[in-house]
Amino acid sequence: MKFLSLWGWQVLLCLTQTVYGKAPKFSTPGLFEVDVGLGDVDGIVAAFGDFNGDKFTDIFVLNTAQTSVSVHAWNHGSFRFQKLPETEIAFDPSSSSPVFISNIVPGDYNYDGKLDLLLMGQKSGPKGDISMRIFYGNGRDSLNGTHFHELEAATSVQPFVVDYSGAMKPELLGYPTGEDGTLSLWSPTSSAQASEVTMSQNTTAVCTLAHPHSNAFLDLDGDCFADIFLSCQPKSTGHATFQIWLNTPTEGFKFSKEHALPLGAGQVTFADIDGDGAMDLIFPTCDDKDCYIHVIYNQQIPLCSGDETKNCRNPHELCTADNAYSFDFDDKSAGHVDLLLSSITQTKERFVMEEKVLKGEPPVPIRIGDFNNDGYPDLLVTTTSGVRLLRSIPCTTSLCSKAATDADKRAFQMVKEGADVLIKTGEQNVVATFLDLDEDGTLDVLVGVRVNGVFRTRAILNNYYNDAFFLKALVSNGVCPAWCPSGDKFPSPKPYGVNYPGASFKYTVLNTEGRRRATQAAQLSQSTYYSLQTPYALFGLGRTNNYIEDLFVGVTRRKAKPSNVAVFQGVIPNSQLIVIPYEQDANADPTNWILELYINPSSASRSVMLVLFTSLVILSSVVAGLHWTEKREDERERRKALHAINFDAL
């Protein structure tokens, strides 16, 4: 591997990530349960992170009693998760009254480039106060379970991770105990105590956070600078509301919008559902009769096409804020699609809105991921009948309103063929989420179940054939340019496993018809109630015959100039990108960021190489044979010339 200087930033190109693993092969398309070493492990997956910095995603497993957690690292060679013995920690093993773990949030809390673990524990059920402890990792194979950093306790409303100060360090926003609903900030790198923050301007006040809530940290106005989404308690009308506070480069957060959600709204999640370069809202609702999937589209200025230059977004300047962005909750408009669950599943099942099996009773969100890499996110939902995989399809008048259909919005269709393995009799589903096993660019599924009173985790491999490309991107917290903290390779790894929240990605790509499309993705936008978001963003590119024109990467570093956005051009599809936004001083800019690009080897690479070498051998043999024949012919002609008689000389 070699670093190359290109346009002021560095590119690390590794033609193969590592040697080939032992991934199982199946002859038919579909989902298949595989053994990845978790079949006999007591517990369910509760969080993700690259704990040992090897560029493979590891899992944090919560035991059945919810009293301890352990790290299971991915082994590429054996295609299995293997428990790291020195990583099993209990929240408080010496406590006389049991403390159950209600949330797990991996992150680099002491800003040293190594992944740590924040545990939230409660004693008296979902309404009890939350104790918080940070256990520090060594970046390789162990967590310190005896020495921890204890933060001031919070109320039952779980604090969520933000970068409030704009220093690219994780902070927690929530309510400390005894402060009577005062919104406060925990800064783990500097203090264990929470300090009050003031977000309101003029007469606008911050709402009272809901419990449970859907708070998030992601870009909502299109400038690639993460904003704050607050989920608020219902008002007198009974409707829950949300507020959006926009992040500004120099003035902190400013109030932007407040909207009411439909009655019975569940957890709000975020994704660019229609591939227009803006993050949309997705949430379930249920009434006495039916359940619905709601998609509220983030309406921003469209992408410029042709000679159009006004009231549109330049494809080479995607990270430009649209101050007029809006959300339309009119279910007859193009901006709101509500899909009847029974019309998708063809049964009378209902959403599971809260997981009663887990202590703390966390809400169950709609999980989002592009399992077929067509460029449009799909859904993984938990219903009373089991786990369902819903594929994104264009809206039709039978599913959506005429306005939404005419505007090319998206609906969903249940995947039936090859998806029977998602539901298994005799098991009670607890959690289900997407994960890219073995980092091959295809989203697989992990399902946590309860069998005979014990938690178990099932791994389901995605073996659908997808004629499409993908791009996987990960942004670090920029704590150091290479090995941390001194720059030596040993003993510290590169800062891959820092779980940096709030990074934004936008890209443009041309499809096979020559149409340009812009898409947005967010990294670790939510961190509460077992959000189970991966530390990377994986987005499908669909079918394309070109490089990615422009990839925009935004971070939450707050300063007036230069920008917080880097632009990388001509990125190769089917690759993994790691962006290290390290800036040595205040005058540095995104052109100094480091980009590492890893090409994902195709599963057919060995066959291609075999055919290539066989062809070379055959062609070399033909050339050698012709050369030998030519030499014999030349020798024959030379001998004839020696015996020839020159009659003119006689």
Side-chain angles (χ1 to χ4, degrees), residues 410-472:
R410 309 291 294 186
F412 298 95
Q413 179 183 65
M414 190 173 74
V415 177
K416 296 182 179 179
E417 185 176 355
D420 295 338
V421 70
L422 287 173
I423 300 176
K424 198 170 184 179
T425 57
E427 296 180 346
Q428 182 178 6
N429 296 309
V430 181
V431 294
T433 189
F434 288 110
L435 173 69
D436 180 11
L437 291 172
D438 209 40
E439 313 295 330
D440 62 357
T442 303
L443 284 177
D444 310 293
V445 178
L446 292 182
V447 180
V449 298
R450 186 171 70 168
V451 185
N452 298 324
V454 180
F455 288 163
R456 292 286 185 263
T457 299
R458 298 171 57 213
I460 299 173
L461 187 72
N462 180 354
N463 196 58
Y464 289 107
Y465 174 72
N466 303 312
D467 185 16
F469 293 100
F470 71 90
L471 184 68
K472 176 181 283 188

Side-chain angles (χ1 to χ4, degrees), residues 93 129 171 196 226 280 397 453 502 596:
D129 291 345
E171 299 165 309
E196 183 180 349
D280 309 311
T397 52
E596 297 183 4

